Structures are given as C-alpha cells and as structure tokens.
C-alpha cells in the first residue's frame, strides 16, 4: 500500500493555513518566511519556487531574497543579521547547497535559533538530541509525521536508517529513538559492510543515501514499511526536461515485498514543504506569545 505524501501533506497544509489565519486575526500580521537563494542552480530554483508558492497558498508572507552566485559571504551574513532583527520575519531559510566560496556552517550559525525553521542550527540539533522542544529539520519531521498519520507504530519496532547526513539520517535516527517514538534504531552508511544484512532486519526502513537502486527487493523483510527519502534525477529521453525523478529504492521490486512504501515523487518531498510551513507558523506563534 502506498503512503501518499501528497494527501498527508495537504492535510498539514490546511492546518497551517487555519493557524496562519488565526495568527493574522490575533496579531494583525501574517507569519513570515524569508527564503534566500544564492545563484541559479536549477534544482534549488525549483525548490525555492515551490516553497514560496506553498507559503502563498497557506497565508504565510514570503520574503524572497535572490543573491548572485558570486555574492561575498560577508554580504550574505549581513542580510541574515538584518532578517534576524526583522519582526515580520519568523523563519529564515537559506537554500542549500551554497557556492563553494561560502562556508555553509558559518551561514547556518548566523541564523537566530528562534528563526531556524529548517532546524539546521547547532542549537536546534543539540536540543533535538536532548529531546527538548525545538525546530526539527523538515524532512525528518515530515517522515515522523507521515508514519504517525498513516498509523504506522514505531514503538518497539526496529528502524534501520540508511544514511547519516546532518539533514536527514542523523536527525531522523535521533527522533526515532526519543521515548516518544520509542524505536530501536540502527544507522547504516558507506562504512557498513553488507548493507542488506542490516536492512533485512528492519520493520521500518528509511533510505536516505542519494543513490538510485541502493535498496532492492532482496534487501527488504516481507511486510516492512519503506520510506524512500532519495530524490535523484535520471536521464529520460521521453521527458521534456530530459530526466525523471527516482528515489533510492527500487520501487517496483520493493513494493511487491513491503507492506507500505512511499513513492518518489509524491512521498517524502511534499511532507518536507508542509513541515517548513508548520515550523514557520510555530515560530510566529512563539514570537507572538500565543
Ligand atoms: P548525503 O548528504 O549525500 O548523505 C547520504 C548518506 O547516505 C551518507 O551518510 C552516505 O554515507 C550514505 N550512503 C550513500 N550511499 C550509501 C550506500 N550505498 N550504502 C550505505 N550508505 C550509503 O545525502 P542527504 O542530504 O542525506 O540526502 C539523501 C537523499 O535524500 C538525496 O537523494 C536527497 O536528494 C534526498 N533528500 C530528499 C529530501 C526530500 O524532501 N524528499 C530532503 C533532503 C534530501 P557516508 O556518510 O558514509 O558517506
């Protein structure tokens, strides 16, 4: 059975729209999200456009900041400091990756933690590790929400996460081992010998490797729940764009073995945007003391 990220995210977006309208009614201004894009990487442009469109549809005001690819780091940091002090802005998002001459970690650290709706700031990640309330990065938060809203129990289950990045693997593993989720978690990476030996033990398998075909049917326990986080462009001459999007999981093969699976596109991707909206509304409510 497919876990439909479009349907679940639509419900979350409707809740965010109601909360944004309530915020506007109570405070007189809408929640605001600043979206910073440096350069014109086509994938980044399409992500940023989708995020801004989602804000508009939800009643969140978006502040678009477009900077050239050769912008000095000092200018970017100055813009972030300005937005940190702007009371109309409740969330600041810097679209990654940044051009090579810019130190990503310094840029993330410049964002005020109370406006870190992407959840990448060390303060947010530290609080997540401690189990404290914080902005949880949007993809991991979306995965947890997706499991919850599809009625997939995590407590007492063995979750295997493939990938240990700071934006997906590590935070999702940490969320799942919190008492609230109460899963037993195994994290795999390129140093894991015989990946299939681990993935076959998973009741819930979360794959965030960034490589198509990382998980095939023989690597999945019958009846497992499979969450495919990967978004990979593969050449496809039949498409106008010349490519199509696939996940990290061999969908057709694995769907025949798994009890539930997320598609790509239409799975985790839309959840990520929904959680960004949710974090922005949360930040606005906190700033207003609601
Ligand atoms: P990343 O930073 O490249 O990290 C990939 C992780 O997977 C690394 O920890 C790497 O191990 C591990 N890995 C790669 N190949 C592996 C293999 N064959 N076996 C075991 N482990 C392997 O990627 P990311 O930022 O986490 O993103 C992962 C994927 O999710 C990408 O396709 C990305 O586009 C997608 N993504 C989607 C969304 C969404 O909204 N749907 C959001 C974020 C990311 P090492 O640490 O040992 O190198």
């Amino acid at each position: 059975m497919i876990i439909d990220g479009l349907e679940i995210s639509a419900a979350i977006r409707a809740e965010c729209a109601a909360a944004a309208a309530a915020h506007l009614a109570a405070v007189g201004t809408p929640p605001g999200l600043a979206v910073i894009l440096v350069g014109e990487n086509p994938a980044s442009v399409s992500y940023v456009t989708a995020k801004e469109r989602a804000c508009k549809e939800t009643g969140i005001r978006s502040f678009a900041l477009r900077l050239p690819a050769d912008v000095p780091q000092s200018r970017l940091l100055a813009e972030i400091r300005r937005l940190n002090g702007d009371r109309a802005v409740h969330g600041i998002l810097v679209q990654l990756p940044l051009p090579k001459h810019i130190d990503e970690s310094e840029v993330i650290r410049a964002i005020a933690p109370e406006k870190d709706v992407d959840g990448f700031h060390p303060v947010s990640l530290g609080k997540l590790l401690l189990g404290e309330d914080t902005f949880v990065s949007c993809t991991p938060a979306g995965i947890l929400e997706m499991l919850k809203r599809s009625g997939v129990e995590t407590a007492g289950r063995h979750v295997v996460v493939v990938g240990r990045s700071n934006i997906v693997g590590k935070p999702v593993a940490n969320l799942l081992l919190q008492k609230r989720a109460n899963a037993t978690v195994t994290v795999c990476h390129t140093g894991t010998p015989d990946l299939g030996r681990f993935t076959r033990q998973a009741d819930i398998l979360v794959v965030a490797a960034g490589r198509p075909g990382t998980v095939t049917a023989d690597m999945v326990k019958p009846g497992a729940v499979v969450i495919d986080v990967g978004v990979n462009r593969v050449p496809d001459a039949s498409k106008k764009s010349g490519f199509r999007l696939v996940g990290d999981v061999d969908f057709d093969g694995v769907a025949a073995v798994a009890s539930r699976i997320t598609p790509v596109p239409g799975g985790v991707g839309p959840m990520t945007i929904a959680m960004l909206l949710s974090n922005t509304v949360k930040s606005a409510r906190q700033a207003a003391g609601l």
Side-chain angles (χ1 to χ4, degrees):
M1 200 162 55
I2 301 289
I3 300 180
D4 187 342
L6 284 171
E7 191 182 311
I8 301 171
S9 64
I12 296 169
R13 284 165 74 144
E15 291 162 18
C16 288
H23 184 274
L24 177 62
V27 183
T29 52
L33 175 69
V35 180
I36 304 176
L37 175 65
V38 181
E40 286 169 5
N41 173 312
S44 295
V45 170
S46 78
Y47 288 140
V48 160
T49 309
K51 288 168 186 175
E52 287 171 348
R53 194 184 322 120
C55 281
K56 201 167 165 204
E57 289 166 5
T58 313
I60 292 172
R61 188 170 165 203
S62 70
F63 299 83
L65 184 59
R66 302 281 187 270
L67 298 169
D70 61 355
V71 68
Q73 176 166 313
S74 55
R75 162 92 196 281
L76 175 57
L77 293 174
E79 292 288 358
I80 292 172
R81 280 194 290 272
R82 177 181 65 76
L83 293 164
N84 282 343
D86 185 338
R87 290 164 57 97
V89 172
H90 304 104
I92 302 171
L93 177 154
V94 180
Q95 186 64 44
L96 303 178
L98 290 168
K100 293 237 174 323
H101 69 282
I102 295 180
D103 179 346
E104 261 179 27
S105 106
E106 200 172 325
V107 169
I108 289 167
R109 279 161 213 258
I111 298 170
E114 64 275 16
K115 297 191 180 186
D116 176 38
V117 288
D118 247 344
F120 296 159
H121 194 286
V123 168
S124 306
L125 285 165
K127 286 185 170 180
L128 170 65
L129 194 62
L130 295 169
E132 294 177 12
D133 182 47
T134 186
F135 293 116
V136 176
S137 45
C138 303
T139 303
I143 293 167
L144 269 278
E145 199 59 31
M146 201 171 204
L147 292 171
K148 192 166 122 195
R149 293 189 187 224
S150 328
V152 176
E153 182 59 78
T154 53
R157 315 288 295 279
H158 184 195
V159 183
V160 176
V161 179
V162 182
R164 59 175 161 190
S165 73
N166 291 334
I167 63 167
V168 187
K170 281 182 200 161
V172 82
N174 276 285
L175 281 173
L176 285 159
L177 64 79
Q178 306 283 344
K179 270 249 171 95
R180 263 185 305 253
N182 236 8
T184 301
V185 183
T186 299
V187 182
C188 302
H189 42 76
T190 57
T192 304
D194 189 3
L195 183 62
R197 182 160 74 86
F198 294 90
T199 57
R200 271 189 292 276
Q201 295 174 39
D203 301 312
I204 301 170
L205 180 59
V206 179
V207 189
R211 282 171 184 71
T214 301
V215 169
T216 47
D218 58 307
M219 297 167 77
V220 177
K221 177 164 83 175
V225 174
V226 179
I227 306 292
D228 188 354
V229 188
V231 180
N232 306 291
R233 288 181 174 198
V234 296
D236 185 340
S238 72
K239 302 275 179 203
K240 214 170 100 190
S241 59
F243 68 85
R244 71 192 149 89
L245 295 181
V246 298
D248 291 344
V249 171
D250 170 23
F251 183 86
D252 292 336
V254 172
V257 179
S259 62
R260 315 187 75 175
I261 184 167
T262 60
V264 178
V268 175
M271 293 299 297
T272 299
I273 295 192
M275 299 318 288
L276 173 68
L277 303 173
S278 173
N279 278 350
T280 304
V281 171
K282 172 179 168 169
S283 177
R285 289 177 61 81
Q286 284 176 349
L290 294 174

